Amino acid sequence: MIAGIALDAPPLHGLICRQFESPDRRDIVNKNMTAGEAAKLQRFLRNKLNPDMAVQCRNRPDECAEIHIGDECLGVVAKIIDEGETSYAFEITILDIDLEEL
């Protein structure tokens, strides 16, 4: 765990978003992401990483958004507010069986 962020990730078929909070840092929290923020993140990711990336908000407002390329979910992105500054944490899970396919 680094700065209250859990580094272990569930398999892609059951992605969940964890609270980004630690007992000693109550100001680091997972906040709901608006559709406008998701659209800005999507433009950023398409520009910087892959033009086919899509950001999809989840149904529950207390969850993070999913990052997709086509039908495949690559990971999740969470909104973090720390000391009044907002950032976004992108967590990707790569299964060892996926590496064998290359």
Side-chain angles (χ1 to χ4, degrees):
M1 186 171 292
I2 297 175
I5 299 172
L7 297 177
D8 59 322
L12 288 178
H13 64 273
L15 282 174
I16 58 170
C17 189
R18 296 175 219 48
Q19 281 294 93
F20 285 75
E21 183 175 351
S22 68
D24 58 328
R25 295 291 305 271
R26 294 284 178 205
D27 53 348
I28 300 176
V29 294
N30 175 17
K31 296 288 186 182
N32 57 323
M33 192 175 308
T34 67
E37 289 169 324
K40 285 181 185 178
L41 282 170
Q42 180 170 291
R43 285 191 301 272
F44 175 84
L45 292 170
R46 285 180 173 180
N47 184 39
K48 298 290 183 180
L49 300 176
N50 185 313
D52 296 325
M53 287 184 128
V55 178
Q56 297 178 357
C57 290
R58 292 187 168 173
N59 292 331
R60 288 182 36 191
D62 62 338
E63 290 189 323
C64 53
E66 297 177 350
I67 306 294
H68 290 262
I69 293 181
D71 292 334
E72 186 174 359
C73 181
L74 294 179
V76 293
V77 62
K79 178 181 175 181
I80 300 173
I81 300 174
D82 183 9
E83 297 180 1
E85 294 183 359
T86 302
S87 62
Y88 300 89
F90 178 18
E91 180 180 313
I92 184 170
T93 301
I94 303 169
L95 302 175
D96 60 348
I97 59 172
D98 292 334
L99 296 175
E100 294 172 4
E101 295 175 4
L102 299 176

